[in-house]
């Protein structure tokens, strides 16, 4: 599924290996990733709802394999993904 691949790439770019603890890296990674997703969607004429449907599923699978860096950012990403997909929030 192309949408699942885009979401996996999005998560790798935002939360994947090579993270430094600097205050600037997170926002730069987020901006670069948003640009990538916009360009991919435009080139592939991909519907945003297709990505929203996959973000929750890929995000849940990512929980097991993610690095501890950017935990708060990942948590916020997953909460939004679950809400947008119409799924219940995770219990702590």
């Amino acid at each position: 599924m192309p949408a699942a691949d885009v979401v996996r790439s999005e998560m790798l770019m935002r939360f994947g290996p090579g993270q430094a603890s600097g205050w600037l890296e997170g926002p730069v990674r987020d901006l670069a990733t948003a640009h990538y997703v916009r360009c991919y969607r435009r080139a592939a004429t991909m519907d945003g709802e297709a990505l929203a449907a996959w973000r929750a599923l890929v995000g849940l699978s990512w929980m097991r394999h993610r690095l501890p860096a950017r935990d708060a950012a990942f948590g916020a990403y997953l909460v939004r993904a679950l809400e947008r997909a119409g799924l219940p929030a995770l219990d702590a």
Side-chain angles (χ1 to χ4, degrees), residues 42-72:
R42 192 176 310 125
T45 61
M46 183 178 291
D47 181 18
E49 292 305 312
L51 296 178
W54 280 99
R55 280 189 178 114
L57 181 61
V58 175
L60 289 169
S61 70
W62 184 266
M63 287 178 66
R64 182 171 183 165
H65 301 289
R66 77 181 189 281
L67 299 174
R70 299 199 71 204
D71 274 345

Side-chain angles (χ1 to χ4, degrees), residues 3-63:
D5 292 339
V6 171
V7 169
R8 176 82 171 136
S9 295
E10 175 186 49
M11 294 188 68
L12 281 169
M13 291 173 72
R14 289 184 71 186
F15 309 113
Q19 298 179 29
S21 59
W23 63 271
L24 185 59
E25 183 180 349
V28 169
R29 287 174 75 122
D30 293 343
L31 286 172
T33 303
H35 178 72
Y36 161 77
V37 171
R38 274 193 310 275
C39 290
Y40 192 101
R41 281 188 54 208
R42 192 176 310 125
T45 61
M46 183 178 291
D47 181 18
E49 292 305 312
L51 296 178
W54 280 99
R55 280 189 178 114
L57 181 61
V58 175
L60 289 169
S61 70
W62 184 266
M63 287 178 66

